[in-house]
Amino acid sequence: QLQLVESGGGLVQPGGSLRLSCVASGQYSDYVVIGWFRQAPGKEREGVSCLTTRGYTQYVESVKGRFTVSRDNAKKTVYLEINNAKFEDSAVYYCAASSRVYSPDYGASESFYYYWGQGTQVTVSS
């Protein structure tokens, strides 16, 4: 029903910027919440951000003020802008979609989401 493809990952210097994209194909309008997650080697997968159809956003504390999530519904694309990149931002980043009713209690929970992309690697290095 829905396919998600992330892109835009790569190597970025500390303090630099990078924009990740998540392009959806299929029935996109039914999925009202898009989440971004990341997983670094040896660490648990972490909820980074989410965005609802109404524009409500959530960010994990470690990225507040540096990351921005946005969407372009016409292009069926959700973006994650990484600014002032830090070494600890290095991870595989995933986007995910859900059609469930949104609650702040669940936006960062993996179980809330139905579909996942393949991931894109972000490496912060000097």
Side-chain angles (χ1 to χ4, degrees):
Q1 290 184 303
L2 187 70
Q3 184 179 20
L4 305 175
V5 179
E6 302 98 331
S7 63
L11 182 66
V12 61
Q13 294 182 333
S17 298
L18 200 65
R19 188 177 74 167
L20 308 182
S21 299
C22 175
V23 180
S25 61
Q27 187 59 53
Y28 176 80
S29 61
D30 290 343
Y31 296 87
V32 300
V33 184
I34 299 293
W36 283 96
F37 293 77
R38 66 185 181 185
Q39 187 167 25
K43 297 184 178 180
E44 298 291 327
R45 185 151 57 180
E46 174 188 38
V48 175
S49 181
C50 68
L51 174 65
T52 74
T53 301
R54 295 184 177 181
Y56 185 87
T57 60
Q58 285 184 272
Y59 298 93
V60 68
E61 189 68 29
S62 61
V63 308
K64 287 182 178 178
R66 300 190 300 113
F67 288 19
T68 302
V69 64
S70 61
R71 71 167 72 202
D72 185 335
N73 286 332
K75 297 181 178 180
K76 296 184 177 181
T77 302
V78 175
Y79 304 97
L80 183 68
E81 182 78 21
I82 300 172
N83 297 302
N84 190 22
K86 300 180 178 180
F87 290 114
E88 54 264 38
D89 295 325
S90 295
V92 177
Y93 284 72
Y94 302 88
C95 65
S98 177
S99 60
R100 295 180 178 181
V101 175
Y102 173 77
S103 168
D105 295 334
Y106 309 123
S109 176
E110 293 181 39
S111 63
F112 182 73
Y113 298 91
Y114 296 122
Y115 295 97
W116 294 78
Q118 85 291 343
T120 185
Q121 176 72 52
V122 172
T123 302
V124 183
S125 177
S126 60

